[in-house]
Amino acid sequence: MVTLGKFKLHYAWVVLFAACMLNIASRADHGSFGVFVEPLVELFGWSRGDISAAYSIAFIVGLPAVVIMGWLGDRYGARWLMIGAALLITAGTYLLGTITELWQFYVYYGFFVGSMGHAAYTVLLPVILTRWFDRYMGLAVGIYWAAMGIGPMIFAPVFRWLIETRGWPQAFTLIAVIVGVILVAFSLLIRSSPKEMGLKPYGAEKSPPEPHVPVAHGIAPAGLTEVLTRRPAWLLIAIHHIGCVGHSIILAHIVSMAIVKGVSGMEAAGVLGTLAGASAVSRFASAILAARFGGRILLTLALIGQGAPILILFFANEAWTFYAFALIFGLCYGGEMVGAGTGMALGGWLGGFLFDLSGAYTWSIAAAIITTCLGIPLALALPRHRRKPPAAGPQAVVKPVPAVT
């Protein structure tokens, strides 16, 4: 326990606060990519498709990076691995201010910041939180996921303001210092489990020990092979892949879409910040809504809510229309937040590639709508949500493996 006067604060809440701060700071560059596109076009004349390839590299490399970081965390401990990731992100952010060649942007953003550094926090922090909370675990994890949208909401406008007022190199130097201090300081507060401090998870110290109930014959946890033989598992993979293609086009290019239509750089950065901030609300609420109504309804509504407002972008010419779009899209995008890395990689690059082919974002917007809508029939094909019957006695605690919803 941490004692504050007469008030005893369980260290689990310190871990949660530190995890949220790390979630916010580690996404400073990663979530603000859309702000970098137009300055790079102006500075070096690179095409939007070539610039967007860095976004794709970050997600492609991020897939094995998550596995590697998870293994290293188990072997060497989460806290020191996160400090190493903090130094990697800090170095990558600083080096982004020194780029003169496209390959340097790919390495510093795609490897240092967007994948290897960010992966450590992505894979370790949610697991650590589940170890620290016995009571209010859902609340803690919901708060953590909501914090993911706060990073771009804060840093996207800050990046744009610094680039406009201080120039590209100094902007990244200043952000590197700020982000580095936050990441190192709060990584030091993380403990992998309550056992490291001689504590129990929050809520467990007052809970009576659960009676041992024998597992019913024939009921066992499903393995990966068994899960992958089930139709809903593949439907979910397809839904999230397609959904990620659609919303990554928007996330990577919404700032450029606004600037191309005459919106100022700062206002355009604010559009991305608004979108990310709105997603924080639905990130928090999605877990609660999924438990109440099931994944089928939640994913269907989220995909409809993602696809429909994109139509606004065909007619958006003023800042307020982009902000209206960002608010609606962000609220729905957060509800379908469990992303497939390959989908994010494809969509981010596709948005820039289609602009290079046509000279406008019309086909990119159309691609975002089409790919999002393709996920709707797949979501409707998921099993219907079935509420659990109330407990009828001691044997009610023995539950079969639930259907994937």
Side-chain angles (χ1 to χ4, degrees), residues 153-209:
M153 183 180 75
I154 295 172
F155 284 103
V158 170
F159 262 119
R160 182 68 199 196
W161 179 75
L162 287 173
I163 291 170
E164 287 186 357
T165 58
R166 302 297 180 92
W168 180 274
Q170 195 171 357
F172 282 89
T173 300
L174 291 171
I175 294 292
V177 172
I178 295 170
V179 167
V181 170
I182 294 173
L183 291 177
V184 172
F186 285 98
S187 292
L188 290 170
L189 295 176
I190 294 293
R191 299 293 185 275
S192 295
S193 69
K195 292 180 180 179
E196 291 187 14
M197 302 182 68
L199 298 173
K200 292 183 178 180
Y202 178 75
E205 67 277 3
K206 296 181 181 180
S207 300

Side-chain angles (χ1 to χ4, degrees), residues 343-363:
M344 295 295 291
L346 175 60
W349 168 80
L350 184 63
F353 174 74
L354 291 174
F355 180 94
D356 294 339
L357 283 181
S358 62
Y361 273 113
T362 304
W363 286 109

